[in-house]
Amino acid sequence: CQRRHVDCVVADADAGDDVVEAGETGDPCVDDLDCASQVCVDIVAGDEVVDEVLLAVMRGPRSYTGEDVVEISCHGGMISAQRILELLVRAGARLAQPGEFTRRAFLNGRIDLTQAEAVADLIEATTSAAARSAVRSLSGEFSRQIHELVDRLISLRMLVEATLDFPEEEIDFLRQADAAGQLAALIDAVGRLQ
């Protein structure tokens, strides 16, 4: 069976009719739901309704992890959530490891390493400033800044290589392109990174 992700549970198989039962909306077979679909269903244990929940289906590659994901939103309180988790685990799911969804997003190319680290920074943030910084990194802003600096550095390296490869040329590639000014600007930009 294909692996499925259910909120904080990773399922190795579909939960089955004994765990997820349709409400008035009909049979909400997860495979038949479109990307970003939501449906209200009852979670049942035998003949007892544990909770009425909202199933949100997000199809890869556009989900956070890049994989098909089903999130279950239940009513507040620990008892309902705990009972639903127990039912899902009994049906073949397993609890996700800490950071597993972020690891999957990284491995599937949905986020880069800086963004993955930003998730941990956001979770551990103890100040508003730290949280804002983590969100900027998570958005990819820091990675974009780094990639821009790398591109600028590569351009400078190409100028140096052209000067070394063609010393007989009368053109001073470094002076003509203001390499010293570009390097100073690059150093300044690195100092301003956040």
Side-chain angles (χ1 to χ4, degrees):
C1 286
Q2 184 179 2
R3 294 182 93 79
R4 299 205 179 285
H5 310 282
V6 183
D7 197 18
C8 60
V9 174
V10 177
D12 292 319
D14 287 338
D17 291 334
D18 57 330
V19 178
V20 178
E21 181 179 287
E24 296 177 359
T25 58
D27 184 9
C29 177
V30 171
D31 290 332
D32 294 336
L33 295 175
D34 293 327
C35 183
S37 293
Q38 295 182 351
V39 63
C40 194
V41 300
D42 290 333
I43 301 288
V44 297
D47 293 335
E48 177 191 359
V49 174
V50 175
D51 197 359
E52 182 181 57
V53 302
L54 182 65
L55 289 182
V57 176
M58 291 155 280
R59 300 278 182 209
R62 295 183 299 179
S63 69
Y64 176 71
T65 62
E67 301 168 342
D68 288 350
V69 176
V70 177
E71 288 188 0
I72 298 175
S73 298
C74 60
H75 291 97
M78 292 300 297
I79 299 300
S80 289
Q82 187 60 42
R83 288 185 68 199
I84 291 168
L85 286 175
E86 289 169 3
L87 288 168
L88 291 168
V89 169
R90 250 187 277 149
R94 69 173 171 79
L95 296 177
Q97 299 296 314
E100 182 169 346
F101 291 100
T102 299
R103 179 178 55 84
R104 287 174 180 269
F106 171 72
L107 293 174
N108 288 325
R110 292 286 294 148
I111 59 175
D112 62 27
L113 186 57
T114 302
Q115 290 170 301
E117 291 172 344
V119 172
D121 292 344
L122 182 58
I123 291 168
E124 296 170 3
T126 57
T127 66
S128 294
R132 280 192 300 275
S133 177
V135 169
R136 278 195 306 274
S137 292
L138 184 57
S139 73
E141 181 180 323
F142 184 75
S143 294
R144 282 189 295 278
Q145 290 175 351
I146 294 295
H147 289 297
E148 179 187 319
L149 292 173
V150 167
D151 290 343
R152 290 169 59 188
L153 189 57
I154 288 171
S155 293
L156 280 174
R157 187 189 81 200
M158 289 173 22
L159 287 172
V160 171
E161 288 176 356
T163 301
L164 294 174
D165 288 345
F166 304 105
E168 66 281 350
E169 295 291 326
E170 294 182 20
I171 302 170
D172 185 347
F173 295 107
L174 295 176
R175 184 166 298 148
Q176 188 176 14
D178 187 28
Q182 287 188 48
L183 182 59
L186 191 59
I187 291 168
D188 182 57
V190 168
R192 287 183 282 115
L193 273 179
Q194 292 185 0

